[in-house]
Amino acid sequence: MESLPDNRPSVELLESTHPFPGSYTIKAIGLADDDFEQRVVAAVSEHLAAASDLDYSVRATRGGRHIALTLDMNVQNAEQVRSIYAEIRDVRGLTLLF
């Protein structure tokens, strides 16, 4: 099995473009079936100190085949952000992560 390339932002890039601790936004787009929203939220939540550290919104695409989640979270450092990206990347049904 071939491993996926690590497309997460580097610690250096994150630290040079975002203040930590602070707010960070990730967008995840995936198939609108199979509880994609709940799987993404669960994946992110396990890396946050409290449920209140996550605020998110969901929007369905025009055709309804996909949903887009905008995840606004309070994070402590760049490594935490990289861990969250890695966790979301493994969520079944994910089609785009940025």
Side-chain angles (χ1 to χ4, degrees):
M1 183 172 148
E2 188 177 322
S3 64
L4 295 173
D6 186 355
N7 293 327
R8 298 174 298 169
S10 69
V11 169
E12 294 79 16
L13 177 63
L14 288 167
E15 288 176 345
S16 70
T17 58
H18 292 81
F20 292 102
S23 179
Y24 192 84
T25 300
I26 294 177
K27 294 196 181 210
I29 299 173
L31 297 175
D33 57 2
D34 258 356
D35 300 324
F36 177 74
E37 174 186 343
Q38 289 80 8
R39 289 195 311 275
V40 171
V41 169
V44 171
S45 295
E46 74 179 54
H47 291 277
L48 300 174
S52 61
D53 286 340
L54 175 62
D55 185 31
Y56 73 96
S57 61
V58 181
R59 182 179 57 83
T61 58
R62 187 177 304 214
R65 278 189 60 198
H66 294 87
I67 58 171
L69 280 80
T70 301
L71 306 147
D72 295 307
M73 55 207 124
N74 293 317
V75 293
Q76 299 304 306
N77 55 54
E79 281 300 334
Q80 182 182 19
V81 172
R82 286 177 48 84
S83 295
I84 292 168
Y85 270 109
E87 197 74 32
I88 296 171
R89 187 176 73 177
D90 291 339
V91 171
R92 188 178 75 253
L94 181 74
T95 57
L96 186 60
L97 177 63
F98 57 99

